[in-house]
Amino acid sequence: MIQKDLRQAAEEVLRRNDRGTFTAPSPRQYPHLWLWDAGFAALGWAALGDYERAYREIRAALRGQWRNGMLPHVVFYDWPSAYFPGADVWRSDLASEAPAELPTSGITQPPVLAFVVEILTRYDPDRGRAAAFRREAFPALYAYHRWLHTARDPEGMGLSVLVHPWESGMDNSPLWDAALARVPVGDLPPYRRADAHWVPEEQRPRSADYDRFLALILHLRSHRYGESGVQTSSFRVYDILFNALRYRSEEALWTMAAELGEPTGEIEGWLARGRAAFQAYLWDPARGFFLDWDAVAKARIPVIAAGGFLALYAGLATPEQAHEMVARYLTNPEAFAPDGGTRYLVPTVSKAEPGWEPRRYWRGPIWINLNALIAHGLRRYGFVDLAEQIRADTFALVARSGFWEYYDPRTGEGLGIGDFTWSAALLLAWDLLEIPETR
Ligand code: GLC
């Protein structure tokens, strides 16, 4: 059980970051709504018993939806702000599909909302309210997933392609190094990053990465965020974490469709194709791990990153594959396990990767959302002790340092921005992420 004082501290973070309609991931560093952050925040509100507030969070994310179904990764509530790149860079008004009244970004983020809504409405003690909210949210969630399977599956892979590292949620992971190096930067307009104002630069992405992040936005914008921009993007990858969470969400969507009396056939097709694609394209038998696929280079991305373990959360690994991933990597001190140098599970990237940097954002530090999803995935495959160890490590990190954005796996020091919403929300909602027995 979560200790009373930690619980109270987590609740205080959520309340401090609450903007009424949405919960800012951090009011200073990230003052708008981010898509997967909103899902995690909603779980936090539910864990506090405030289901009304949780539903409001989901509604705020869905209000950003484009007419083609896309859910944007940022909805610019409380705009203008000092955030870069802001609504003036994204210019969603150039896209005919974007909502007219609310500026948004033009890309998406890991699709967690459908499984979050299924969880919220499963635990809400007010059954009438829960049923009404499922009915309300279902069409928007369904439209989003259809977009993920059409606009974002131009090659008919059964997987959704990402055209910007930010869509993965893991902005500067070494997963993207080779693919980003091929992105032409061209003549960028002069710009000023705002992200290193509150956080030391050594904990944030490098400037060369930022140039490419911006160049990719400008490319997509020049195509008015249409499908031609996706097809001609110099950055196109199929990511494990993103597609595993998509699959998990589509199982939840199936459950909700069945209960609502909606047709389930199309969703069953998505699930079957997604499952087959994980085995056909993403499992690397030689390395014994799920690897991302670079659609431009037409090759696997040979980087061992913690996102690979999310195949377990989605139930997409065979028991043999799960055992191999755990034995070769998760419990191996040369990869993810503590070795005296590192003391906590789970660094975001294997220590054996040349790109591993224990203090720099998505290149090595521990993130609480990944830890929670990995732990529940391990439990699903029977690795109960390991799941417990990850949970204990996560709670120890927070007890030691507070609710930081990420943590140094060697010292447990908190990094990035403090009072970070999903770190607080997921500590409260850890158990809500458990996988239901059957579908
Ligand atoms: C950063 C993270 C991303 C998160 C966002 C808001 O961009 O990489 O995953 O959603 O901040 O917290």
Side-chain angles (χ1 to χ4, degrees), residues 51-59 121 124 129-130 133:
Y51 285 85
E52 289 291 352
R53 183 65 192 78
Y55 296 155
R56 205 178 329 137
E57 193 77 32
I58 304 292
R59 285 192 188 104
T121 50
D124 185 352
R129 177 176 63 189
F133 190 70

Side-chain angles (χ1 to χ4, degrees), residues 104-355:
T104 74
S105 74
I107 57 172
T108 191
Q109 236 189 359
V112 301
L113 284 202
F115 78 76
V116 167
V117 168
E118 195 275 322
I119 291 171
L120 299 175
T121 50
R122 177 150 44 92
Y123 286 110
D124 185 352
D126 183 337
R127 302 312 302 147
R129 177 176 63 189
F133 190 70
R134 269 195 184 181
R135 171 61 63 208
E136 173 189 335
F138 182 80
L141 297 170
Y142 197 105
Y144 175 49
H145 282 268
R146 186 175 279 158
W147 176 83
L148 287 170
H149 281 272
T150 51
R152 284 313 181 87
D153 190 3
E155 299 175 281
M157 295 269 285
L159 299 167
S160 299
V161 72
L162 307 187
V163 290
H164 197 296
W166 291 348
E167 295 199 301
S168 74
M170 305 174 289
D171 307 7
N172 70 335
S173 169
L175 287 167
W176 321 133
D177 286 355
L180 269 186
R182 291 191 307 259
V183 170
V185 175
D187 287 330
L188 284 182
Y191 69 98
R192 210 213 215 136
R193 289 170 59 172
D195 61 301
H197 183 71
W198 303 105
V199 177
E201 233 176 277
E202 48 111 16
Q203 298 172 21
R204 294 288 309 177
R206 294 191 162 80
S207 298
D209 292 333
Y210 246 81
D211 283 351
R212 285 162 181 83
F213 296 156
L214 186 59
L216 286 168
I217 296 174
L218 297 179
H219 165 78
L220 296 167
R221 188 179 86 178
S222 71
H223 289 259
R224 298 175 187 269
Y225 302 105
E227 291 178 22
S228 59
V230 170
Q231 282 151 24
T232 55
S233 173
S234 55
F235 181 93
R236 280 177 286 129
V237 301
Y238 295 94
D239 173 52
I240 312 286
L241 175 144
F242 188 99
N243 282 284
L245 293 175
R246 190 196 78 179
Y247 187 90
R248 168 80 182 87
S249 266
E250 283 163 10
E251 284 203 327
L253 210 55
W254 184 92
T255 303
M256 293 193 283
E259 277 184 27
L260 291 167
E262 297 285 340
T264 53
E266 187 179 18
I267 304 173
E268 279 154 19
W270 295 342
L271 288 168
R273 281 200 299 282
R275 176 171 286 279
F278 259 73
Q279 292 300 328
Y281 306 119
L282 303 180
W283 176 252
D284 186 292
R287 288 192 180 76
F289 206 77
F290 285 99
L291 297 182
D292 283 9
W293 178 261
D294 184 327
V296 176
K298 300 203 187 318
R300 291 208 180 94
I301 299 175
V303 173
I304 305 289
F309 294 113
L310 266 61
L312 275 59
Y313 187 62
L316 287 166
T318 65
E320 295 72 31
Q321 290 169 338
H323 273 90
E324 188 169 5
M325 291 170 78
V326 167
R328 275 178 77 172
Y329 298 100
L330 194 56
T331 56
N332 174 359
E334 284 172 19
F336 293 97
D339 61 356
T342 60
R343 294 198 285 134
Y344 303 88
L345 285 170
V346 180
T348 26
V349 175
S350 162
K351 290 173 277 180
E353 291 298 336

Side-chain angles (χ1 to χ4, degrees), residues 60-128:
L62 296 180
R63 210 168 297 140
Q65 187 163 40
W66 288 27
R67 275 183 290 279
N68 58 6
M70 184 183 75
L71 288 174
H73 96 298
V74 180
V75 185
F76 287 102
Y77 292 106
D78 289 359
W79 178 254
S81 74
Y83 184 76
F84 178 86
D88 53 333
V89 174
W90 285 101
R91 294 288 314 272
S92 57
D93 59 297
L94 294 172
S96 55
E97 312 272 12
E101 67 291 354
L102 198 57
T104 74
S105 74
I107 57 172
T108 191
Q109 236 189 359
V112 301
L113 284 202
F115 78 76
V116 167
V117 168
E118 195 275 322
I119 291 171
L120 299 175
T121 50
R122 177 150 44 92
Y123 286 110
D124 185 352
D126 183 337
R127 302 312 302 147

Side-chain angles (χ1 to χ4, degrees), residues 25 30 34 36-37 109 169-171 361-362 367 405 420 422:
Y30 309 108
W34 266 258
W36 70 333
D37 301 62
Q109 236 189 359
M170 305 174 289
D171 307 7
Y361 213 33
W362 288 99
W367 287 75
E405 195 179 0
F420 188 62
W422 85 40

